């Protein structure tokens, strides 16, 4: 995703691609009070679930 965003700004990504990019981007940064190593479960996975639900509602209802 970083290689892609080096050529195309994330704001120009198609909606679903941008949602997946943002899910992983959120998991890259330690938030205040966050337990180290919890980024995947706390940030990335919920954002990915939301993206899948938003763009593929019949598969994730």
């Amino acid at each position: 995703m970083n290689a892609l965003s080096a050529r195309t700004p994330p704001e120009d990504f198609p909606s679903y691609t941008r949602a997946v990019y943002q899910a992983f981007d959120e998991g890259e940064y330690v938030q205040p009070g966050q337990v180290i190593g919890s980024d995947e479960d706390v940030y990335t996975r919920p954002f990915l679930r939301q993206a899948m639900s938003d763009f593929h509602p019949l598969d994730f209802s």
Side-chain angles (χ1 to χ4, degrees), residues 16-51:
Y16 181 70
T17 305
R18 187 172 51 253
V20 171
Y21 174 85
Q22 288 173 333
F24 283 96
D25 193 51
E26 283 296 318
E28 288 184 1
Y29 303 100
V30 177
Q31 308 293 327
Q34 178 185 345
V35 174
I36 302 296
S38 66
D39 54 340
E40 183 178 311
D41 290 327
V42 175
Y43 294 98
T44 304
R45 286 184 186 184
F47 278 96
L48 287 175
R49 280 190 206 100
Q50 186 63 50

